[in-house]
Amino acid sequence: MRSRNGECAAELQTAAGLFNPQLVQMLLELNREIGSDVFIAANAYDLNMDFVTNPRAYGFVTSQVACCGQGRFNGIGLCTILSNLCPNRDIFAFWDPFHPTERANRIIVSTIVTGSTKYMNPMNLSTIMAMDSLV
């Protein structure tokens, strides 16, 4: 949306980028008050941005064109019967202007389960589940 060459809208990216650091700080404070790591934050924004800046590292051909939509980059509207549809959704990072493809979502979920603190804070889901099973 609002793009002439496939880039993300700067003001929307700035707003999204401000959210996760504040969420992590809030959850760290809540965990400190409780005295245990009860809450974890998943930073899907940074992972999505990794898809955007380096789609080939994840096996995607592009992040600038959505698989299904209208307009030059399929960045207008949601996927409808009138949309352009890509021939292979597995090589696209985004399904429509807003949502990752199924393959991208699988990468996101895998990162939530086993990822580093770059994306998961204070720990990933498998670590907190293992800790919970010891209790």
Side-chain angles (χ1 to χ4, degrees), residues 64-112:
Q64 290 185 315
V65 178
C67 184
C68 189
Q70 295 90 44
R72 183 170 168 207
F73 302 102
N74 284 345
I76 300 171
L78 298 177
C79 190
T80 69
I81 197 162
L82 301 174
S83 297
N84 301 312
L85 185 60
C86 69
N88 180 0
R89 66 180 178 240
D90 286 339
I91 63 173
F92 285 77
F94 294 96
W95 171 248
D96 63 20
F98 309 104
H99 303 100
T101 57
E102 179 181 350
R103 185 165 166 274
N105 274 316
R106 288 181 186 277
I107 295 169
I108 292 167
V109 169
S110 176
T111 302
I112 289 170

